[in-house]
mmCIF file of all heavy atoms in Angstrom:
data_model
loop_
_atom_site.group_PDB
_atom_site.id
_atom_site.type_symbol
_atom_site.label_atom_id
_atom_site.label_comp_id
_atom_site.label_asym_id
_atom_site.label_seq_id
_atom_site.Cartn_x
_atom_site.Cartn_y
_atom_site.Cartn_z
ATOM 1 N N ALA A 323 -21.483 15.507 -19.108
ATOM 2 C CA ALA A 323 -22.854 15.767 -19.065
ATOM 3 C C ALA A 323 -23.742 14.680 -19.639
ATOM 4 O O ALA A 323 -24.846 14.319 -19.119
ATOM 5 C CB ALA A 323 -23.170 17.161 -19.860
ATOM 6 N N LYS A 324 -23.150 14.093 -20.762
ATOM 7 C CA LYS A 324 -23.868 12.953 -21.361
ATOM 8 C C LYS A 324 -23.867 11.721 -20.451
ATOM 9 O O LYS A 324 -24.908 11.113 -20.350
ATOM 10 C CB LYS A 324 -23.192 12.579 -22.700
ATOM 11 C CG LYS A 324 -23.854 11.537 -23.447
ATOM 12 C CD LYS A 324 -23.137 11.292 -24.826
ATOM 13 C CE LYS A 324 -23.829 10.233 -25.698
ATOM 14 N NZ LYS A 324 -23.121 9.940 -26.904
ATOM 15 N N ALA A 325 -22.784 11.536 -19.766
ATOM 16 C CA ALA A 325 -22.721 10.356 -18.862
ATOM 17 C C ALA A 325 -23.720 10.528 -17.682
ATOM 18 O O ALA A 325 -24.316 9.526 -17.235
ATOM 19 C CB ALA A 325 -21.365 10.159 -18.367
ATOM 20 N N LEU A 326 -23.984 11.772 -17.196
ATOM 21 C CA LEU A 326 -24.844 12.008 -16.030
ATOM 22 C C LEU A 326 -26.195 12.313 -16.499
ATOM 23 O O LEU A 326 -27.087 12.366 -15.704
ATOM 24 C CB LEU A 326 -24.214 13.221 -15.288
ATOM 25 C CG LEU A 326 -22.927 13.084 -14.649
ATOM 26 C CD1 LEU A 326 -22.566 14.393 -13.828
ATOM 27 C CD2 LEU A 326 -22.828 11.831 -13.696
ATOM 28 N N ASN A 327 -26.455 12.380 -17.809
ATOM 29 C CA ASN A 327 -27.833 12.744 -18.386
ATOM 30 C C ASN A 327 -28.238 14.096 -17.856
ATOM 31 O O ASN A 327 -29.424 14.192 -17.422
ATOM 32 C CB ASN A 327 -28.803 11.585 -18.024
ATOM 33 C CG ASN A 327 -30.027 11.636 -18.857
ATOM 34 O OD1 ASN A 327 -30.013 12.217 -19.999
ATOM 35 N ND2 ASN A 327 -31.187 11.177 -18.289
ATOM 36 N N VAL A 328 -27.422 15.057 -17.920
ATOM 37 C CA VAL A 328 -27.685 16.449 -17.556
ATOM 38 C C VAL A 328 -27.424 17.311 -18.671
ATOM 39 O O VAL A 328 -26.680 17.058 -19.646
ATOM 40 C CB VAL A 328 -27.045 16.855 -16.229
ATOM 41 C CG1 VAL A 328 -27.455 15.899 -15.076
ATOM 42 C CG2 VAL A 328 -25.501 16.951 -16.397
ATOM 43 N N GLY A 329 -27.986 18.580 -18.648
ATOM 44 C CA GLY A 329 -27.674 19.652 -19.651
ATOM 45 C C GLY A 329 -26.188 20.029 -19.615
ATOM 46 O O GLY A 329 -25.693 20.323 -18.542
ATOM 47 N N ALA A 330 -25.526 20.006 -20.793
ATOM 48 C CA ALA A 330 -24.160 20.528 -20.870
ATOM 49 C C ALA A 330 -23.954 21.918 -20.344
ATOM 50 O O ALA A 330 -23.054 22.356 -19.716
ATOM 51 C CB ALA A 330 -23.594 20.387 -22.236
ATOM 52 N N ALA A 331 -24.966 22.826 -20.770
ATOM 53 C CA ALA A 331 -24.982 24.228 -20.284
ATOM 54 C C ALA A 331 -24.920 24.386 -18.793
ATOM 55 O O ALA A 331 -24.210 25.107 -18.330
ATOM 56 C CB ALA A 331 -26.105 25.032 -20.901
ATOM 57 N N ALA A 332 -25.866 23.593 -18.138
ATOM 58 C CA ALA A 332 -25.844 23.650 -16.737
ATOM 59 C C ALA A 332 -24.624 23.196 -15.958
ATOM 60 O O ALA A 332 -24.105 23.809 -15.067
ATOM 61 C CB ALA A 332 -27.075 22.844 -16.189
ATOM 62 N N LEU A 333 -24.019 22.080 -16.528
ATOM 63 C CA LEU A 333 -22.732 21.632 -15.995
ATOM 64 C C LEU A 333 -21.611 22.538 -16.211
ATOM 65 O O LEU A 333 -20.793 22.747 -15.381
ATOM 66 C CB LEU A 333 -22.557 20.201 -16.584
ATOM 67 C CG LEU A 333 -21.528 19.270 -15.833
ATOM 68 C CD1 LEU A 333 -22.094 19.133 -14.346
ATOM 69 C CD2 LEU A 333 -21.310 18.047 -16.518
ATOM 70 N N GLU A 334 -21.664 23.087 -17.379
ATOM 71 C CA GLU A 334 -20.590 24.108 -17.772
ATOM 72 C C GLU A 334 -20.512 25.203 -16.818
ATOM 73 O O GLU A 334 -19.504 25.681 -16.267
ATOM 74 C CB GLU A 334 -20.825 24.524 -19.185
ATOM 75 C CG GLU A 334 -19.765 25.497 -19.688
ATOM 76 C CD GLU A 334 -20.121 26.006 -21.134
ATOM 77 O OE1 GLU A 334 -21.270 26.205 -21.418
ATOM 78 O OE2 GLU A 334 -19.181 26.248 -21.873
ATOM 79 N N GLU A 335 -21.727 25.707 -16.454
ATOM 80 C CA GLU A 335 -21.865 26.848 -15.416
ATOM 81 C C GLU A 335 -21.372 26.507 -14.134
ATOM 82 O O GLU A 335 -20.710 27.124 -13.363
ATOM 83 C CB GLU A 335 -23.301 27.332 -15.485
ATOM 84 C CG GLU A 335 -23.525 28.546 -14.536
ATOM 85 C CD GLU A 335 -24.903 29.005 -14.478
ATOM 86 O OE1 GLU A 335 -25.660 28.544 -15.245
ATOM 87 O OE2 GLU A 335 -25.181 29.973 -13.681
#
Side-chain angles (χ1 to χ4, degrees):
K324 184 177 180 180
L326 298 182
N327 195 27
V328 301
L333 197 59
E334 181 181 34
E335 181 181 356

